[in-house]
Amino acid sequence: MNTSASTNLLDSLSTIRQSFAPDKYPELNDSIKGCASELTADVSLTAILQDDTSEKLFAFVNKILHSTFPFKDVRACWFRLYTDASIVRAAKIVERHLSLDVGLAASTNVKCSTEAEDPVNQNGDARSDAFTPGGRVNGSKALKSFESSIPCNKRRLARVDKGQSLIDPSEPFIDEVVTILDMALIMAGGMGREELIQAFLKVFEAATKPATPNDHAGPTSNDKDPKTSSPITNHPPSEYKYDHSPSRPPKRRRLSPSPQLTFSPSDLLPTHSVPSPHITSPIPRLQAPSPSTFNHHAHRARTPLILTHTLTHWPALHLWRHPSHWLSHTFSGRRLIPLELGASYTSSSFSQRILPFSSFLHTHILPPSPPMTGYLAQHPLFSQIPFLAADIPTPPYIWTCDDPPSPSPGTPLYEKARVDPSVLPRTPDGPNVNVWFGPAWTVSPLHYDPYHNLLAQVVGRKYVRLYSPHDSQRLFPRSEKEPAPEPAPSSSTSPQTPTPAEEPPRTINMSNTSSIDIVAIETSPSEDWESVWPGFGEVGYVEAILEPGEMLYVPVGWWHYVRSLSVGVSVSWWWNGEGDDGGGDEEGERGKGRGGEEGSKKMRRKGEREGGDVE
């Protein structure tokens, strides 16, 4: 009998219990203690492993995350508590289903979970003989306990004997566990528990797959060599990190050889493309420029540039065209993603939704005429699902241009940074990496970013148009205090909480986004747009069709408009220098990073955008 799935899953569960044991959690200087004093009296952090405590803690913190405006103001300790409560909740669900098969117990009238038979007793406490003194799983005793829990696990072990999975992949609790853990990654960024979550998801997924070692019907997230990517980081694994010291040039990341995979001819993303605009002011192109050539252009020319023939070695150029590859790396499509619904984030019909990847694929990507535009936009997918990062390395240009030029004098970002340097976030830990995946006619309205940007087109085609930051005042920027949409009414209002009518007006900063609707201008060119936006037609711009395998450099502060011409997948790298000015403290930037301003920017409720969407 192949017992690896059993032992790995039990070991992962014991690791979680060890991490949250009363004698170890919370640690003496843990940042979550900054929020502990605000918890209700019936919630004790040292008792987080108890069912009622983890559920109460989650409900309390979840309410805070959904009531704080703007979302970036949520304190890091709340993100940590949300993450910790989620991990415990997910682990306890798996424990219950592994140790107590309710249906079989009811049919045989046999008590399944007893302290004598189960590594987790009725009180939710770990059995002492199933775990070592340090809290780690005692593999032989824990597995023996699991095997002897009859008839509770008899049916599961019989499945393994037949070469089937330990956990039937059709069991509903699988979706519940994946949802809880993915929400911790999406809403809170994992907050220091990323590796624990990723390790658990890996063994949990393995337990739902057949145990036969030679079964390779399709690629899975466990087939990758883990050395090709680091969990929840945006830079290469430790053995491939680039050396930024002056005495040594940066290294190009080595890629593991891609396995020769065979895909069905019908296993392809749609390739139909809408008509392309006529290009009159093309963006210059350079064929496979050296890093030093790119660095020279970024510092001297400071203009947009398209880099060609630089991505030919990327496995993603081939693999990402196949839906089966995406499904196999998203737990058969169970993994959650945040989706933008509607024409664009400036549209009155814009909304956001979190849903399983399979629903996104089958509703918004594969149908010839999707019912609504759905866009996976500005999402740190590699942080949430690290195995996908093995398909696409970080461009070497970022590491050689690790101190890119600041915004030009007289431009909006330059003037804002003189008052508040934090408007130019530093990226000392590597670039912020985001994935963009959607059908034709997904749009990023005309806007600018506080980062330098490399946008790589992996699948499909996009039309891009860019304007100089020196023309900003002629591009009709939106207000710094635009009214935010009203929050959904609460079912109950406590005396201490002001009613919506008593709250000060909610506003959002949209000054990095133009009020000009370029989609309307493109689709109705004969209209009198000069009367709507006087002088805009005289502002010069550069444009291009970005093809698969090409990469666009957008200098910091340059206005850009992006429209998909087909189903497409893009990856963007945002970076500034590694200086310590304007970056905030470690807790503020990293803490609010993946859980707040950067990482969860796309997971906010409608209207909490702080400047809107970015691509």
mmCIF file of all heavy atoms in Angstrom, residues 270-278 368-370 373 438-443 460-463 519 522-523 545-547 561-568:
data_model
loop_
_atom_site.group_PDB
_atom_site.id
_atom_site.type_symbol
_atom_site.label_atom_id
_atom_site.label_comp_id
_atom_site.label_asym_id
_atom_site.label_seq_id
_atom_site.Cartn_x
_atom_site.Cartn_y
_atom_site.Cartn_z
ATOM 1 N N PRO A 270 -8.874 30.176 -26.962
ATOM 2 C CA PRO A 270 -9.363 30.770 -28.220
ATOM 3 C C PRO A 270 -8.320 31.706 -28.822
ATOM 4 O O PRO A 270 -7.631 32.436 -28.108
ATOM 5 C CB PRO A 270 -10.618 31.524 -27.784
ATOM 6 C CG PRO A 270 -11.077 30.822 -26.549
ATOM 7 C CD PRO A 270 -9.829 30.369 -25.847
ATOM 8 N N THR A 271 -8.220 31.693 -30.141
ATOM 9 C CA THR A 271 -7.218 32.513 -30.838
ATOM 10 C C THR A 271 -7.838 33.615 -31.679
ATOM 11 O O THR A 271 -7.108 34.398 -32.292
ATOM 12 C CB THR A 271 -6.342 31.626 -31.738
ATOM 13 O OG1 THR A 271 -7.184 30.918 -32.671
ATOM 14 C CG2 THR A 271 -5.569 30.615 -30.899
ATOM 15 N N HIS A 272 -9.166 33.690 -31.721
ATOM 16 C CA HIS A 272 -9.813 34.715 -32.546
ATOM 17 C C HIS A 272 -9.436 36.109 -32.056
ATOM 18 O O HIS A 272 -9.392 36.380 -30.858
ATOM 19 C CB HIS A 272 -11.333 34.561 -32.507
ATOM 20 C CG HIS A 272 -12.060 35.675 -33.185
ATOM 21 N ND1 HIS A 272 -12.084 35.829 -34.554
ATOM 22 C CD2 HIS A 272 -12.788 36.712 -32.675
ATOM 23 C CE1 HIS A 272 -12.798 36.899 -34.854
ATOM 24 N NE2 HIS A 272 -13.237 37.451 -33.740
ATOM 25 N N SER A 273 -9.150 36.999 -32.999
ATOM 26 C CA SER A 273 -8.740 38.365 -32.671
ATOM 27 C C SER A 273 -9.696 39.361 -33.304
ATOM 28 O O SER A 273 -10.139 39.180 -34.436
ATOM 29 C CB SER A 273 -7.318 38.624 -33.163
ATOM 30 O OG SER A 273 -6.891 39.929 -32.830
ATOM 31 N N VAL A 274 -10.024 40.420 -32.554
ATOM 32 C CA VAL A 274 -10.838 41.501 -33.106
ATOM 33 C C VAL A 274 -9.942 42.366 -33.993
ATOM 34 O O VAL A 274 -8.714 42.307 -33.903
ATOM 35 C CB VAL A 274 -11.480 42.338 -31.986
ATOM 36 C CG1 VAL A 274 -12.379 41.461 -31.123
ATOM 37 C CG2 VAL A 274 -10.418 43.012 -31.135
ATOM 38 N N PRO A 275 -10.538 43.173 -34.868
ATOM 39 C CA PRO A 275 -9.724 44.002 -35.769
ATOM 40 C C PRO A 275 -8.746 44.900 -35.010
ATOM 41 O O PRO A 275 -9.074 45.460 -33.957
ATOM 42 C CB PRO A 275 -10.772 44.829 -36.524
ATOM 43 C CG PRO A 275 -12.000 43.981 -36.492
ATOM 44 C CD PRO A 275 -11.974 43.288 -35.164
ATOM 45 N N SER A 276 -7.554 45.041 -35.576
ATOM 46 C CA SER A 276 -6.510 45.848 -34.944
ATOM 47 C C SER A 276 -6.551 47.284 -35.454
ATOM 48 O O SER A 276 -6.846 47.526 -36.633
ATOM 49 C CB SER A 276 -5.128 45.254 -35.245
ATOM 50 O OG SER A 276 -5.046 43.913 -34.848
ATOM 51 N N PRO A 277 -6.263 48.253 -34.600
ATOM 52 C CA PRO A 277 -6.181 49.647 -35.057
ATOM 53 C C PRO A 277 -5.013 49.839 -36.028
ATOM 54 O O PRO A 277 -4.026 49.091 -35.982
ATOM 55 C CB PRO A 277 -5.953 50.433 -33.762
ATOM 56 C CG PRO A 277 -6.281 49.492 -32.648
ATOM 57 C CD PRO A 277 -6.021 48.126 -33.154
ATOM 58 N N HIS A 278 -5.138 50.843 -36.866
ATOM 59 C CA HIS A 278 -4.031 51.193 -37.759
ATOM 60 C C HIS A 278 -2.982 51.972 -36.971
ATOM 61 O O HIS A 278 -3.295 52.966 -36.321
ATOM 62 C CB HIS A 278 -4.542 52.028 -38.933
ATOM 63 C CG HIS A 278 -3.460 52.492 -39.847
ATOM 64 N ND1 HIS A 278 -2.680 51.631 -40.579
ATOM 65 C CD2 HIS A 278 -3.020 53.760 -40.140
ATOM 66 C CE1 HIS A 278 -1.811 52.327 -41.291
ATOM 67 N NE2 HIS A 278 -1.995 53.619 -41.037
ATOM 68 N N PRO A 368 -17.297 31.548 -27.045
ATOM 69 C CA PRO A 368 -17.097 32.534 -28.130
ATOM 70 C C PRO A 368 -17.647 33.908 -27.780
ATOM 71 O O PRO A 368 -17.080 34.925 -28.169
ATOM 72 C CB PRO A 368 -17.845 31.910 -29.315
ATOM 73 C CG PRO A 368 -17.962 30.463 -28.988
ATOM 74 C CD PRO A 368 -18.051 30.372 -27.496
ATOM 75 N N SER A 369 -18.764 33.945 -27.048
ATOM 76 C CA SER A 369 -19.376 35.216 -26.646
ATOM 77 C C SER A 369 -19.682 35.172 -25.149
ATOM 78 O O SER A 369 -20.794 34.822 -24.740
ATOM 79 C CB SER A 369 -20.658 35.474 -27.444
ATOM 80 O OG SER A 369 -20.399 35.521 -28.830
ATOM 81 N N PRO A 370 -18.707 35.532 -24.315
ATOM 82 C CA PRO A 370 -18.932 35.503 -22.866
ATOM 83 C C PRO A 370 -20.086 36.413 -22.471
ATOM 84 O O PRO A 370 -20.296 37.468 -23.079
ATOM 85 C CB PRO A 370 -17.603 36.014 -22.290
ATOM 86 C CG PRO A 370 -16.600 35.775 -23.366
ATOM 87 C CD PRO A 370 -17.349 35.951 -24.661
ATOM 88 N N THR A 373 -17.733 40.658 -19.586
ATOM 89 C CA THR A 373 -16.281 40.711 -19.579
ATOM 90 C C THR A 373 -15.755 40.449 -18.174
ATOM 91 O O THR A 373 -16.132 41.128 -17.219
ATOM 92 C CB THR A 373 -15.786 42.086 -20.066
ATOM 93 O OG1 THR A 373 -16.244 42.302 -21.398
ATOM 94 C CG2 THR A 373 -14.263 42.136 -20.049
ATOM 95 N N GLY A 438 -7.441 37.665 -19.632
ATOM 96 C CA GLY A 438 -8.815 38.006 -19.957
ATOM 97 C C GLY A 438 -9.115 37.835 -21.432
ATOM 98 O O GLY A 438 -8.229 37.549 -22.247
ATOM 99 N N PRO A 439 -10.380 38.019 -21.821
ATOM 100 C CA PRO A 439 -10.788 37.905 -23.218
ATOM 101 C C PRO A 439 -10.517 39.202 -23.979
ATOM 102 O O PRO A 439 -9.973 40.163 -23.436
ATOM 103 C CB PRO A 439 -12.281 37.639 -23.099
ATOM 104 C CG PRO A 439 -12.675 38.405 -21.865
ATOM 105 C CD PRO A 439 -11.511 38.294 -20.922
ATOM 106 N N ALA A 440 -10.915 39.216 -25.238
ATOM 107 C CA ALA A 440 -10.820 40.443 -26.033
ATOM 108 C C ALA A 440 -11.688 41.533 -25.411
ATOM 109 O O ALA A 440 -12.688 41.252 -24.751
ATOM 110 C CB ALA A 440 -11.263 40.169 -27.470
ATOM 111 N N TRP A 441 -11.260 42.778 -25.614
ATOM 112 C CA TRP A 441 -11.961 43.958 -25.133
ATOM 113 C C TRP A 441 -11.846 44.175 -23.624
ATOM 114 O O TRP A 441 -12.593 44.958 -23.055
ATOM 115 C CB TRP A 441 -13.436 43.980 -25.555
ATOM 116 C CG TRP A 441 -13.599 44.341 -26.992
ATOM 117 C CD1 TRP A 441 -13.894 43.499 -28.028
ATOM 118 C CD2 TRP A 441 -13.438 45.635 -27.575
ATOM 119 N NE1 TRP A 441 -13.931 44.183 -29.215
ATOM 120 C CE2 TRP A 441 -13.650 45.508 -28.966
ATOM 121 C CE3 TRP A 441 -13.120 46.900 -27.057
ATOM 122 C CZ2 TRP A 441 -13.564 46.573 -29.839
ATOM 123 C CZ3 TRP A 441 -13.040 47.962 -27.953
ATOM 124 C CH2 TRP A 441 -13.263 47.803 -29.314
ATOM 125 N N THR A 442 -10.919 43.499 -22.975
ATOM 126 C CA THR A 442 -10.580 43.927 -21.618
ATOM 127 C C THR A 442 -9.716 45.171 -21.745
ATOM 128 O O THR A 442 -8.834 45.255 -22.607
ATOM 129 C CB THR A 442 -9.817 42.837 -20.846
ATOM 130 O OG1 THR A 442 -8.711 42.375 -21.619
ATOM 131 C CG2 THR A 442 -10.729 41.671 -20.524
ATOM 132 N N VAL A 443 -9.978 46.145 -20.870
ATOM 133 C CA VAL A 443 -9.374 47.473 -21.028
ATOM 134 C C VAL A 443 -8.776 47.954 -19.722
ATOM 135 O O VAL A 443 -9.365 47.790 -18.648
ATOM 136 C CB VAL A 443 -10.433 48.493 -21.512
ATOM 137 C CG1 VAL A 443 -9.895 49.915 -21.455
ATOM 138 C CG2 VAL A 443 -10.889 48.152 -22.922
ATOM 139 N N GLY A 460 -1.786 35.765 -26.875
ATOM 140 C CA GLY A 460 -2.689 36.754 -27.453
ATOM 141 C C GLY A 460 -2.005 38.059 -27.819
ATOM 142 O O GLY A 460 -0.781 38.191 -27.777
ATOM 143 N N ARG A 461 -2.831 39.075 -28.154
ATOM 144 C CA ARG A 461 -2.333 40.353 -28.645
ATOM 145 C C ARG A 461 -3.016 41.495 -27.914
ATOM 146 O O ARG A 461 -4.177 41.399 -27.518
ATOM 147 C CB ARG A 461 -2.594 40.468 -30.158
ATOM 148 C CG ARG A 461 -2.097 39.296 -30.951
ATOM 149 C CD ARG A 461 -2.693 39.235 -32.352
ATOM 150 N NE ARG A 461 -2.190 40.293 -33.210
ATOM 151 C CZ ARG A 461 -2.948 41.187 -33.815
ATOM 152 N NH1 ARG A 461 -4.268 41.180 -33.645
ATOM 153 N NH2 ARG A 461 -2.417 42.109 -34.593
ATOM 154 N N LYS A 462 -2.299 42.608 -27.765
ATOM 155 C CA LYS A 462 -2.849 43.794 -27.116
ATOM 156 C C LYS A 462 -2.454 45.051 -27.883
ATOM 157 O O LYS A 462 -1.346 45.143 -28.422
ATOM 158 C CB LYS A 462 -2.360 43.909 -25.669
ATOM 159 C CG LYS A 462 -3.058 42.987 -24.700
ATOM 160 C CD LYS A 462 -2.654 43.230 -23.263
ATOM 161 C CE LYS A 462 -3.509 42.392 -22.321
ATOM 162 N NZ LYS A 462 -3.103 42.541 -20.901
ATOM 163 N N TYR A 463 -3.391 45.999 -27.883
ATOM 164 C CA TYR A 463 -3.098 47.336 -28.412
ATOM 165 C C TYR A 463 -2.717 48.233 -27.247
ATOM 166 O O TYR A 463 -3.417 48.289 -26.224
ATOM 167 C CB TYR A 463 -4.315 47.904 -29.132
ATOM 168 C CG TYR A 463 -4.173 49.364 -29.510
ATOM 169 C CD1 TYR A 463 -3.242 49.765 -30.456
ATOM 170 C CD2 TYR A 463 -4.974 50.335 -28.905
ATOM 171 C CE1 TYR A 463 -3.110 51.106 -30.800
ATOM 172 C CE2 TYR A 463 -4.854 51.674 -29.246
ATOM 173 C CZ TYR A 463 -3.913 52.050 -30.190
ATOM 174 O OH TYR A 463 -3.765 53.377 -30.522
ATOM 175 N N VAL A 519 -11.762 54.217 -25.390
ATOM 176 C CA VAL A 519 -12.586 53.190 -26.029
ATOM 177 C C VAL A 519 -13.698 53.844 -26.847
ATOM 178 O O VAL A 519 -13.959 53.459 -27.996
ATOM 179 C CB VAL A 519 -13.183 52.233 -24.979
ATOM 180 C CG1 VAL A 519 -14.184 51.291 -25.631
ATOM 181 C CG2 VAL A 519 -12.081 51.426 -24.304
ATOM 182 N N GLU A 522 -12.230 55.304 -29.945
ATOM 183 C CA GLU A 522 -11.873 54.273 -30.924
ATOM 184 C C GLU A 522 -13.112 53.733 -31.641
ATOM 185 O O GLU A 522 -13.073 53.505 -32.856
ATOM 186 C CB GLU A 522 -11.163 53.108 -30.232
ATOM 187 C CG GLU A 522 -9.705 53.344 -29.918
ATOM 188 C CD GLU A 522 -9.005 52.044 -29.543
ATOM 189 O OE1 GLU A 522 -9.372 51.443 -28.510
ATOM 190 O OE2 GLU A 522 -8.125 51.630 -30.304
ATOM 191 N N THR A 523 -14.172 53.506 -30.895
ATOM 192 C CA THR A 523 -15.354 52.871 -31.482
ATOM 193 C C THR A 523 -16.270 53.854 -32.201
ATOM 194 O O THR A 523 -17.083 53.447 -33.033
ATOM 195 C CB THR A 523 -16.154 52.125 -30.393
ATOM 196 O OG1 THR A 523 -16.449 53.030 -29.318
ATOM 197 C CG2 THR A 523 -15.330 50.954 -29.846
ATOM 198 N N ILE A 545 0.968 47.261 -31.521
ATOM 199 C CA ILE A 545 0.300 45.983 -31.250
ATOM 200 C C ILE A 545 1.352 45.096 -30.604
ATOM 201 O O ILE A 545 2.379 44.791 -31.207
ATOM 202 C CB ILE A 545 -0.234 45.326 -32.528
ATOM 203 C CG1 ILE A 545 -1.155 46.294 -33.298
ATOM 204 C CG2 ILE A 545 -0.951 44.021 -32.187
ATOM 205 C CD1 ILE A 545 -2.390 46.688 -32.544
ATOM 206 N N LEU A 546 1.105 44.700 -29.380
ATOM 207 C CA LEU A 546 2.051 43.859 -28.649
ATOM 208 C C LEU A 546 1.719 42.400 -28.950
ATOM 209 O O LEU A 546 0.627 41.913 -28.643
ATOM 210 C CB LEU A 546 1.948 44.149 -27.151
ATOM 211 C CG LEU A 546 3.148 43.794 -26.269
ATOM 212 C CD1 LEU A 546 4.396 44.552 -26.725
ATOM 213 C CD2 LEU A 546 2.837 44.097 -24.812
ATOM 214 N N GLU A 547 2.677 41.717 -29.571
ATOM 215 C CA GLU A 547 2.487 40.332 -29.990
ATOM 216 C C GLU A 547 3.058 39.372 -28.947
ATOM 217 O O GLU A 547 3.877 39.750 -28.107
ATOM 218 C CB GLU A 547 3.179 40.096 -31.345
ATOM 219 C CG GLU A 547 2.738 41.016 -32.460
ATOM 220 C CD GLU A 547 1.373 40.643 -33.027
ATOM 221 O OE1 GLU A 547 0.839 39.578 -32.632
ATOM 222 O OE2 GLU A 547 0.848 41.397 -33.876
ATOM 223 N N TYR A 561 -2.646 53.349 -22.148
ATOM 224 C CA TYR A 561 -3.958 52.751 -22.362
ATOM 225 C C TYR A 561 -3.726 51.386 -22.993
ATOM 226 O O TYR A 561 -2.914 51.245 -23.924
ATOM 227 C CB TYR A 561 -4.792 53.647 -23.282
ATOM 228 C CG TYR A 561 -5.962 52.979 -23.971
ATOM 229 C CD1 TYR A 561 -7.166 52.778 -23.311
ATOM 230 C CD2 TYR A 561 -5.869 52.592 -25.311
ATOM 231 C CE1 TYR A 561 -8.250 52.196 -23.969
ATOM 232 C CE2 TYR A 561 -6.939 52.006 -25.972
ATOM 233 C CZ TYR A 561 -8.126 51.807 -25.291
ATOM 234 O OH TYR A 561 -9.187 51.230 -25.936
ATOM 235 N N VAL A 562 -4.410 50.342 -22.494
ATOM 236 C CA VAL A 562 -4.179 48.973 -22.965
ATOM 237 C C VAL A 562 -5.521 48.320 -23.258
ATOM 238 O O VAL A 562 -6.437 48.366 -22.438
ATOM 239 C CB VAL A 562 -3.412 48.138 -21.918
ATOM 240 C CG1 VAL A 562 -3.076 46.754 -22.476
ATOM 241 C CG2 VAL A 562 -2.141 48.847 -21.470
ATOM 242 N N ARG A 563 -5.631 47.699 -24.437
ATOM 243 C CA ARG A 563 -6.861 46.995 -24.811
ATOM 244 C C ARG A 563 -6.501 45.644 -25.434
ATOM 245 O O ARG A 563 -5.684 45.573 -26.356
ATOM 246 C CB ARG A 563 -7.684 47.828 -25.793
ATOM 247 C CG ARG A 563 -8.942 47.115 -26.296
ATOM 248 C CD ARG A 563 -9.876 48.047 -27.023
ATOM 249 N NE ARG A 563 -9.333 48.607 -28.250
ATOM 250 C CZ ARG A 563 -9.364 48.002 -29.438
ATOM 251 N NH1 ARG A 563 -9.912 46.805 -29.556
ATOM 252 N NH2 ARG A 563 -8.862 48.597 -30.506
ATOM 253 N N SER A 564 -7.133 44.586 -24.957
ATOM 254 C CA SER A 564 -6.883 43.247 -25.494
ATOM 255 C C SER A 564 -7.590 43.078 -26.828
ATOM 256 O O SER A 564 -8.760 43.435 -26.977
ATOM 257 C CB SER A 564 -7.370 42.180 -24.515
ATOM 258 O OG SER A 564 -6.614 42.184 -23.328
ATOM 259 N N LEU A 565 -6.875 42.504 -27.779
ATOM 260 C CA LEU A 565 -7.445 42.220 -29.093
ATOM 261 C C LEU A 565 -7.909 40.774 -29.205
ATOM 262 O O LEU A 565 -8.557 40.404 -30.185
ATOM 263 C CB LEU A 565 -6.421 42.525 -30.186
ATOM 264 C CG LEU A 565 -5.885 43.957 -30.217
ATOM 265 C CD1 LEU A 565 -4.798 44.103 -31.275
ATOM 266 C CD2 LEU A 565 -7.012 44.944 -30.457
ATOM 267 N N SER A 566 -7.554 39.950 -28.228
ATOM 268 C CA SER A 566 -7.922 38.537 -28.226
ATOM 269 C C SER A 566 -7.815 38.040 -26.787
ATOM 270 O O SER A 566 -7.425 38.785 -25.884
ATOM 271 C CB SER A 566 -6.990 37.731 -29.132
ATOM 272 O OG SER A 566 -5.660 37.775 -28.623
ATOM 273 N N VAL A 567 -8.171 36.774 -26.573
ATOM 274 C CA VAL A 567 -7.860 36.173 -25.279
ATOM 275 C C VAL A 567 -6.350 36.299 -25.068
ATOM 276 O O VAL A 567 -5.556 35.956 -25.947
ATOM 277 C CB VAL A 567 -8.284 34.693 -25.241
ATOM 278 C CG1 VAL A 567 -7.684 33.996 -24.018
ATOM 279 C CG2 VAL A 567 -9.799 34.573 -25.225
ATOM 280 N N GLY A 568 -5.983 36.828 -23.932
ATOM 281 C CA GLY A 568 -4.561 37.092 -23.731
ATOM 282 C C GLY A 568 -4.122 36.929 -22.294
ATOM 283 O O GLY A 568 -4.924 37.050 -21.362
#
